Amino acid sequence: MSLIGRATRSEIKTSFYAYNPSLAVAIVAAIFYTVAFLLTAIQWIRYRAWVWSIMVLAAAMEAIGYIARCASVQNTSERPVYILQFSLIILAPVLMAACCYVIFSRILFLVVPQEARTFRLCWIPPRFITPIFVGCDIFALLLQLSGAVMISSVEATDKDAKDKLDTGKHVAQAGVIIQLVAFGLFAVAAIRFNFTSKRFTRFLSERYENVGEKGYIIDGVVKDNNWPALLRVVNLTTILILVRSIYRLVEFTEGTTGYVSTHEWPMYVFDALCIYPSVALFVYWHPGRYLPYLGFRLPKGAHGSSDSEIQMR
C-alpha cells in the first residue's frame, strides 16, 4: 500500500497496509531480485562497465527493498522498515531509466556516423540525450523522494496532518508525471530508432576490423556486433518501466482508498514483474558485450570521427 494517508492512523498496533500482505510472495521477489543483483554485479566487474554501476545500485535497491518487505509484512505496524521498503522499491526504477538513456546514447555513438547524427534521426542530438533525460530523471527522483519523506514525516497528532499528506502526495505525483513524460518521449525516440538504424548495419564492418561474422575489434578488444539485440532489450526495458510508471501514477492519483492501494497484486504485477526483466535481461545482453566504452565519460574523440578521418590514421 502507498504511504499516502497512512500516517493519520494510530501507529499503535496499526498496520501500514490496507490488505493482508503475503510473506511468501515477498520472499520469492526478494530471492529473484537478490540473484539478479549478484549476477549484475558480477557482469559489472567482468566487463569493467563502470557506468553500469547505476544499474548495480538499482538492482541492490530492489533486492534490499523486497528483503525489507519480508520483514515489514511480518510486523506491519513497524514504520521504519515499511518506509525503507517503500522508498527503495519506488525509487530504483528511476535509476534504471537513467541506464536506458546512457546505453541508448552509447549505441548511437557506436553505430551512427558522425555526419548522420542529426536532429532528424533521433530528434535529439546524441550528445544531449544523456544530460537532458538524466537531468529530468534526477529531478523526478528528487521530487518522489521528497514526497515520500514528507508523507512519512507526518505524525498522527499533527493538526494539519491531512494538508501535509496531500502536499507530499502532490509532490510525489509530480515526480512520477515528469518521469512519465520524459520517459515516454524517450520511448518513442528509442523505438523509432530501432527501425531507422537499419541503414547503419554496414557501418561497423566498414569502420572496424571484423572477427568472423559476429564480432569486431575496437582498441584491441573483441565486441559482439549484434548491437540490434542490445537495442531491442533497451526498447523492451523502456516499455516495461513506462508501464510501471503509469501504475505508480494511478496509485498516487487514487490515494489510499483506491483499488490499487487496497490490493496487493497490482504492485507485484505492474511493478515487481515489470521491473525484474529490466534487470535480468541485461545480465545476458550486457552492454559490455557490444559497446567498447562504458566509462562515465566517453574517451576524447571516441566514436566522434568520420570515416575519412579514421582512414587517415
Side-chain angles (χ1 to χ4, degrees), residues 86 90-91 94 137 139-149 168 171-177 179 244 248 252:
F86 173 82
I90 200 172
L91 295 177
V94 182
D137 219 35
F139 186 48
L141 185 148
L142 292 176
L143 285 176
Q144 292 180 56
L145 180 60
S146 298
V149 170
V171 170
Q173 191 177 42
V176 175
I177 292 174
Q179 180 189 5
R244 177 264 176 195
R248 285 298 181 182
F252 279 118

Side-chain angles (χ1 to χ4, degrees), residues 259-280:
Y259 182 88
V260 170
S261 294
T262 55
H263 293 79
E264 187 175 31
W265 72 264
M267 191 205 76
Y268 283 108
V269 172
F270 296 110
D271 197 313
L273 285 180
C274 278
I275 295 304
Y276 184 76
S278 302
V279 181

Side-chain angles (χ1 to χ4, degrees), residues 51-73:
V51 74
W52 206 238
S53 58
I54 302 172
M55 180 62 82
V56 176
L57 176 59
M61 290 172 65
E62 290 283 359
I64 297 173
Y66 282 103
I67 291 173
R69 187 174 179 85
C70 292
S72 178
V73 299

Side-chain angles (χ1 to χ4, degrees), residues 8 54 57 63 66 68 70 79 102 119 122 130 147 161 170 207 209 212 234 248 251-252 257 269 274 279:
T8 59
I54 302 172
L57 176 59
Y66 282 103
C70 292
R79 187 175 186 175
V102 173
F119 180 85
C122 55
T130 299
H170 294 320
R207 184 172 183 180
E209 179 183 352
V234 172
R248 285 298 181 182
E251 179 191 29
F252 279 118
T257 59
V269 172
C274 278
V279 181

Side-chain angles (χ1 to χ4, degrees), residues 130-185:
T130 299
I132 290 177
F133 285 110
V134 171
C136 291
D137 219 35
I138 292 174
F139 186 48
L141 185 148
L142 292 176
L143 285 176
Q144 292 180 56
L145 180 60
S146 298
V149 170
M150 292 171 67
I151 291 169
S152 62
S153 64
V154 177
E155 297 293 340
T157 56
D158 292 344
K159 295 182 179 179
D160 56 348
K162 185 179 184 303
D163 291 336
K164 290 181 179 179
L165 288 170
D166 288 340
T167 300
K169 166 189 171 180
H170 294 320
V171 170
Q173 191 177 42
V176 175
I177 292 174
I178 291 174
Q179 180 189 5
L180 189 60
V181 171
F183 208 60
L185 293 174

Side-chain angles (χ1 to χ4, degrees), residues 290-302:
Y290 311 93
L291 304 178
Y293 305 113
L294 286 173
F296 284 99
R297 298 184 64 181
L298 283 170
K300 188 176 181 180

